[in-house]
Structures are given as structure tokens and as C-alpha cells.
């Protein structure tokens, strides 16, 4: 172009036109893609989706809490039935009421942590004992906790005092275990 050769202006124009023709569609595709991805990602994390996930998580937690509360109510009913029962009659009562309430494990302890009666779905001879923290609880109030099991899943553990009807006698303690169904725990974990 500087030397004034023939066809140099045409070559320069062709280079500029070809550059514009290739650059313009790239800009249009880039703009369209950018807009599409922004709208798509925004819709994934929109308030409606977040609200739906929060509500699903609340439903899963409510299901777990319902299981904990029903286990606590069953334990309270068993504790009421054991008030005034002798140790020998307590064995029959524990076995019958565990089956009636479909609980995994029910164990009655004396005030010195001696096992009086136990009934369990587990085929092992010795029942699982509550943790020492649970045994050191306030004896006037029941406790119901949800803890992870070693094999996975969640386990409701309830420790409740069995009040003695006679003055001077110490209270016994009832320990109940009930696993939360796997479907419910898996659903709660998936939503979370």
C-alpha cells in the first residue's frame, strides 16, 4: 500500500472485510451464549428453587423429629407401666411392651446401673448400654437424642426415669433405642 503497488488497496479492503465478517458472528454467538448461561444459572439458584429446597429440608427434619417424639411417647408409656412393678414382673412387661410399640431395644436399669430387664431385636446377649453422659443426666427429666449409628443411619436414644411409688426407694431408668428408617435418613441427607 505504501509503495503504491497495483491491487494493494483491494487486498487491504478484503482483509478488513473478512476480519469483520468473521468477528461479527463470533461476537453475536458470544453475547447470546453469555445471556443464555446467565439466565440459566440464575434460574437454578432462584428464590423459588431455594425456597423449595428449604421446605424439603424442613419436611425431612420434621419426619426425623416425629420419629424422635413417637419414640419418646412410647418410652413414657412403658415407664408408666413399669411404675411399681417388681423386678421379676418388669422383665415380662419390658418384653411385651417392646413388641407392642415395635421398638428396637428396651432396657431397664436400677439406680446403680444394674440391668434389671432387657428386650431387643439384636441377637447379642448383652444389650447396648447408654453412654456415660446419658447415665449422668438429670433423673427428673427424660432425654431423647438422635445420634448417628456406626453402620450409618440415625438412632433415637431415649433415657427416662421410672419413678418409684415408695418413698426412700431410688428411681430406675428406662433406656430405649429406635433406628430411624433408612429411607427417611437418606432422603434428609440427599436434600441437605
Amino acid at each position: 500500500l505504501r509503495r503504491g503497488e497495483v491491487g494493494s488497496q483491494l487486498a487491504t479492503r478484503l482483509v478488513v472485510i473478512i476480519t469483520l465478517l468473521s468477528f461479527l458472528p463470533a461476537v453475536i454467538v458470544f453475547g447470546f451464549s453469555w445471556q443464555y448461561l446467565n439466565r440459566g444459572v440464575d434460574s437454578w439458584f432462584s428464590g423459588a428453587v431455594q425456597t423449595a429446597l428449604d421446605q424439603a429440608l424442613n419436611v425431612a427434619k420434621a419426619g426425623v423429629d416425629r420419629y424422635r417424639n413417637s419414640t419418646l411417647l412410647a418410652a413414657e408409656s412403658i415407664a408408666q407401666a413399669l411404675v411399681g412393678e417388681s423386678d421379676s414382673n418388669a422383665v415380662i412387661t419390658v418384653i411385651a411392651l417392646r413388641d407392642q410399640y415395635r421398638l428396637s431395644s428396651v432396657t431397664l436399669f436400677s439406680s446403680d446401673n444394674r440391668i434389671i430387664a432387657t428386650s431387643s431385636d439384636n441377637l447379642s446377649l448383652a444389650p447396648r448400654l447408654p453412654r456415660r453422659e446419658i447415665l449422668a443426666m438429670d433423673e427428673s427429666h427424660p432425654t431423647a437424642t438422635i445420634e448417628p449409628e456406626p453402620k450409618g443411619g440415625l438412632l433415637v436414644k431415649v433415657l427416662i426415669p421410672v419413678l418409684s411409688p415408695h418413698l426412700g426407694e431410688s428411681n430406675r431408668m428406662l433406656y430405649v433405642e429406635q433406628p430411624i428408617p433408612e429411607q427417611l435418613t437418606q432422603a434428609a441427607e440427599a436434600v441437605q
Side-chain angles (χ1 to χ4, degrees):
L1 189 63
R2 285 184 193 164
R3 284 188 245 148
E5 291 182 12
V6 178
S8 60
Q9 287 182 345
L10 180 63
T12 305
R13 286 183 191 155
L14 283 175
V15 168
V16 170
I17 290 172
I18 289 172
T19 303
L20 285 176
L21 286 176
S22 62
F23 184 69
L24 191 62
V27 168
I28 291 170
V29 169
F30 175 78
F32 177 76
S33 300
W34 181 265
Q35 195 70 359
Y36 179 75
L37 284 175
N38 277 342
R39 285 185 185 165
V41 170
D42 286 346
S43 70
W44 298 341
F45 300 107
S46 70
V49 172
Q50 187 63 39
T51 302
L53 284 173
D54 289 343
Q55 289 174 349
L57 186 59
N58 288 340
V59 167
K61 286 179 181 177
V64 170
D65 284 342
R66 193 187 91 222
Y67 233 83
R68 183 183 67 80
N69 292 338
S70 68
T71 304
L72 179 61
L73 286 173
E76 287 173 344
S77 297
I78 295 171
Q80 283 293 90
L82 289 170
V83 170
E85 289 272 342
S86 67
D87 288 354
S88 57
N89 288 341
V91 173
I92 297 167
T93 304
V94 164
I95 292 170
L97 291 178
R98 184 195 69 84
D99 287 340
Q100 178 183 337
Y101 288 108
R102 294 185 177 105
L103 297 170
S104 175
S105 173
V106 177
T107 304
L108 181 64
F109 292 94
S110 66
S111 59
D112 59 351
N113 298 332
R114 179 181 53 87
I115 297 172
I116 297 170
T118 187
S119 178
S120 174
D121 286 342
N122 193 352
L123 297 177
S124 68
L125 295 176
R128 288 195 290 192
L129 301 177
R131 294 189 334 238
R132 291 182 188 197
E133 298 90 40
I134 294 177
L135 287 175
M137 67 166 248
D138 176 17
E139 290 193 13
S140 60
H141 299 291
T143 61
T145 59
I146 299 172
E147 297 180 8
E149 283 190 281
K151 298 176 185 174
L154 297 174
L155 187 68
V156 178
K157 295 181 177 184
V158 177
L159 194 64
I160 187 167
V162 178
L163 304 176
S164 172
H166 306 294
L167 276 166
E169 281 186 17
S170 57
N171 294 337
R172 297 178 289 183
M173 298 301 288
L174 184 70
Y175 177 64
V176 176
E177 287 184 343
Q178 180 68 8
I180 295 175
E182 244 180 84
Q183 296 160 334
L184 185 59
T185 57
Q186 287 174 351
E189 287 173 6
V191 169
Q192 190 164 5

